[in-house]
């Protein structure tokens, strides 16, 4: 029996966009019909060339009006930051939107934006869903899945551990914006990528709490730092002795009774050598812990392929958590879709003959 095919537009060609292009070309369930570019040097180039594969016969374009006039079912929307007006423009043009970059679960703090998105969905007869590895999957779906085999849940703890020292050359561009290489006083005084991310993780907390029949009343935050005991060279970025080389963010979601219900830990470090205090927790993984009856934990880690070659699995996880939901998003009624609305997502075309 022939599978239904979904016509998709890739919106941006960064790291996640390249993953999307390669998947859409390789998966028989999808037809890549358009690619949005945002720089003149990418305009007119074959999408395959931009994604590092053979030519695919679809050229990237900076003409967004032409893209939105195309016959397509869904846009895989992957800019570094989600723009609510841009999302609404796509939705009103009759294209469903799947995104890993923002708007994961409606909360009161973003009620105005979610109202705009919902209105655009109704106007365009389209649907919107935001997901990703975290927020979107590990801190949203996994706690609820693990709770299904639990008699009583007292607390949910979610850990994200990223060891940049594990040959993550691409992380160099994030060192400054994340606050590495500055004094502890400067680190605590200025915003950085992770401290600004609480708004997104708060949506995950709300999704877990409400899935368990509770609500998050407030979120507290604290930070622990590890300092370099000597200069640390990370590719072309230097972390001077005495400056931040590791950081542990702890966000605690309190329920209506003032009890900590959902706690998120984000631990980012540039290796483990020459840093105090020592947090030798391994390389890159996620861990979900349910404290209750019985207490349980689930670990998600990536592994090298059978060929012994490592893959950028964190990025692939982020992209595929959304891409594999595209058929369900397209087939759903118009509106903002949460995980609860989508139910059990069945990936299509991931097993290929």
């Amino acid at each position: 029996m022939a599978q239904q095919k979904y016509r998709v537009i890739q919106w941006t060609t960064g790291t996640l966009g390249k993953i999307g292009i390669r998947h859409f070309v390789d998966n028989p369930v999808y037809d890549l019909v358009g690619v949005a570019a945002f720089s003149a040097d990418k305009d007119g180039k074959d999408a395959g060339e931009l994604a590092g594969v053979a030519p695919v016969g679809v050229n990237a374009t900076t003409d967004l009006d032409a893209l939105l006039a195309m016959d397509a079912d869904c846009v895989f929307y992957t800019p570094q930051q989600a723009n609510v007006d841009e999302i609404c423009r796509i939705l009103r043009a009759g294209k469903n939107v799947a995104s890993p970059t923002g708007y994961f679960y409606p909360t009161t703090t973003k009620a105005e934006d979610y109202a705009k998105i919902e209105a655009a969905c109704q106007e365009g007869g389209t649907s919107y869903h935001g997901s990703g590895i975290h927020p979107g999957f590990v801190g949203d779906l996994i706690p609820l899945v693990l709770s299904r085999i639990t008699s009583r849940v007292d607390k949910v703890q979610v850990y994200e551990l990223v060891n940049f020292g594990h040959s993550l050359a691409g992380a160099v561009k994030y060192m400054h914006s994340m606050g590495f290489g500055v004094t502890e006083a400067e680190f605590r005084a200025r915003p950085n990528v992770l401290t600004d991310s609480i708004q997104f993780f708060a949506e995950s907390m709300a999704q877990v709490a409400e899935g368990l029949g509770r609500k998050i009343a407030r979120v507290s935050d604290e930070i622990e730092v590890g300092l370099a005991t000597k200069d640390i060279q990370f590719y072309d970025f230097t972390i001077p002795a005495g400056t931040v080389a590791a950081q542990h963010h702890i966000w605690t979601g309190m329920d209506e009774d003032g009890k900590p219900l959902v706690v998120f830990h984000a631990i980012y470090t540039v290796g483990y050598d020459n840093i105090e205090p020592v947090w030798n927790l391994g390389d890159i993984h996620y861990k979900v812990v349910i404290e209750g009856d019985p207490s349980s934990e689930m670990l998600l880690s990536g592994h090298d392929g059978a060929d012994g070659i490592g893959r950028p699995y964190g990025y692939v996880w982020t992209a595929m958590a959304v891409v594999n939901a595209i058929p369900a998003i397209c087939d759903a009624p118009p509106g903002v879709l949460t995980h609860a609305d989508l139910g059990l997502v069945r990936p299509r075309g991931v097993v290929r003959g």
Side-chain angles (χ1 to χ4, degrees), residues 19 34 36 42 44 56-57 59 65 74 93 120 131 135 139 157 164 192 230 258 265-266 349 351:
I19 293 170
K42 294 181 179 180
V56 300
N59 293 336
D65 289 332
C74 191
S131 187
Q157 300 212 60
F164 287 134
N192 64 63
K230 60 182 292 187
H265 303 260
V351 179

Side-chain angles (χ1 to χ4, degrees), residues 95-118:
K95 311 313 188 268
N96 299 292
V97 175
S99 177
T101 60
Y103 299 102
F104 305 102
Y105 188 80
T107 58
T108 54
T109 56
K110 291 187 179 178
E112 184 176 341
D113 283 350
Y114 275 100
K116 289 181 180 178
I117 295 173
E118 180 65 35

Side-chain angles (χ1 to χ4, degrees), residues 1 32 59 88 146 159 163 169 200 219 227 229 232 256-257 275 314 333:
M1 182 174 68
L32 180 69
N59 293 336
C88 290
L146 198 52
Y159 295 81
N163 176 10
F200 305 113
V219 177
L227 303 179
T229 58
I232 297 174
E256 307 101 308
D257 298 327
I275 301 175

Side-chain angles (χ1 to χ4, degrees), residues 14-27:
T15 301
L16 296 181
K18 291 179 174 67
I19 293 170
I21 289 170
R22 293 193 291 267
H23 184 79
F24 297 136
V25 170
D26 194 43
N27 188 329

